[in-house]
């Protein structure tokens, strides 16, 4: 006979479109819950495993597979046949290319693709569609270049480049830039997986 301690939970919000052959698991224990927010489009044959936390207004294309304990913020878009490793975090307004295998966090506003998925820049199309201003996008592009696309990768470590942007008086005044920087920092917390790999470009 089932007891309260045996119960596991799934919480689904409003105005979600969940298509055919999708599977969504309840939490793995009674003290947690799997959560689907509001306004999400979850296309055919997707899988959302136990204890995932899905925000609002996300689009998961066909055969997107989320392992357990994945957290997805808002306005995330995956292309088809994308696979996300357990405990990964997907930041708001990010885009995951088709067939990607994502084994680390994807920070806010960024685009990843490949096996294993690498950062491929900012999700510029998504940011424009969601109403980000030209100035916001320009500031995000400048911050991204300073962190990930430096002319001399021996000049400063990744952490030093990140700190330089955090200390830049102009860029740090832009809320979107602050949010992106915080998203990157959060990914390196003790219980997190770090961010997806990125390629060192020398500008040539």
């Amino acid at each position: 006979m089932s007891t309260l301690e045996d119960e596991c939970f799934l919480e689904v919000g409003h105005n979600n479109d969940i298509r055919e052959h999708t599977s969504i698991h309840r939490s793995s224990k009674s003290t947690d819950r799997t959560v689907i927010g509001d306004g999400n489009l979850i296309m055919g044959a997707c899988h959302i495993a136990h204890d995932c936390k899905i925000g609002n207004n996300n689009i998961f294309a066909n055969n997107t597979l989320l392992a357990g304990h994945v957290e997805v913020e808002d306005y995330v878009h995956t292309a088809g046949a994308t696979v996300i490793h357990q405990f990964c975090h997907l930041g708001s307004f990010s885009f995951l290319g088709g067939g990607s295998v994502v084994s680390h966090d994807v920070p806010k506003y960024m685009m990843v693709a490949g096996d294993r998925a690498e950062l491929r820049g900012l999700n510029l199309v998504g940011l424009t569609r969601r109403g980000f201003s030209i100035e916001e996008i320009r500031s995000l592009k400048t911050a991204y270049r300073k962190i990930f696309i430096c002319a001399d990768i021996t000049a400063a470590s990744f952490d030093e480049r990140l700190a330089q942007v955090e200390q830049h008086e102009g860029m740090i005044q832009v809320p979107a830039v602050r949010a992106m920087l915080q998203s990157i920092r959060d990914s390196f917390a003790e219980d997190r997986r770090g961010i997806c790999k990125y390629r060192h470009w020398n500008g040539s």
Side-chain angles (χ1 to χ4, degrees):
M1 180 171 141
S2 177
T3 65
L4 181 61
E5 287 73 24
D6 298 322
E7 290 184 328
C8 297
F9 302 97
L10 167 63
E11 179 181 306
V12 181
H14 300 288
N15 301 316
N16 291 293
D17 189 354
I18 301 172
R19 302 309 300 268
E20 58 278 358
H21 307 300
T22 287
S23 57
I24 303 175
H25 288 183
R26 295 181 297 170
S27 58
S28 60
K29 53 190 176 182
S30 61
T31 55
D32 205 342
R33 62 188 61 231
T34 302
V35 178
I36 311 290
D38 302 328
N40 297 289
L41 171 56
I42 303 172
M43 297 186 193
C46 289
H47 174 68
I48 298 174
H50 59 88
D51 307 296
C52 285
K53 304 293 188 292
I54 311 300
N56 305 315
N57 302 301
N58 299 293
I59 299 176
F60 298 159
N62 297 327
N63 296 295
T64 293
L65 309 178
L66 277 63
H69 302 277
V70 169
E71 294 195 18
V72 182
E73 296 181 2
D74 302 326
Y75 295 101
V76 174
H77 191 166
T78 73
T82 300
V83 179
I84 298 98
H85 191 284
Q86 62 183 352
F87 294 103
C88 284
H89 286 58
L90 309 182
S92 296
F93 304 98
S94 59
F95 179 85
L96 285 61
S100 298
V101 177
V102 180
S103 56
H104 293 81
D105 290 0
V106 180
K108 289 179 186 291
Y109 315 129
M110 296 191 189
M111 179 171 58
V112 301
D115 178 14
R116 295 295 196 258
E118 295 180 340
L119 298 182
R120 301 297 176 90
L122 295 169
N123 179 21
L124 298 176
V125 172
L127 294 175
T128 301
R129 287 176 176 172
R130 297 311 312 172
F132 282 70
S133 70
I134 293 174
E135 279 302 317
E136 286 176 310
I137 293 173
R138 183 180 294 123
S139 296
L140 286 168
K141 288 170 69 174
T142 299
Y144 185 94
R145 283 196 301 268
K146 287 182 176 296
I147 297 167
F148 297 108
I149 312 176
C150 49
D152 182 3
I153 63 172
T154 64
S157 68
F158 172 81
D159 198 63
E160 290 170 336
R161 297 195 303 272
L162 189 59
Q164 288 171 5
V165 175
E166 290 171 331
Q167 295 163 12
H168 189 286
E169 288 188 9
M171 283 185 287
I172 203 62
Q173 299 302 316
V174 181
V177 172
R178 291 202 304 272
M180 183 179 76
L181 296 172
Q182 188 61 57
S183 181
I184 296 171
R185 286 288 189 197
D186 289 346
S187 291
F188 291 98
E190 184 177 348
D191 60 341
R192 298 279 289 272
R193 297 184 59 79
I195 63 173
C196 288
K197 293 181 179 178
Y198 58 94
R199 298 181 182 183
H200 294 292
W201 300 100
N202 60 13
S204 59

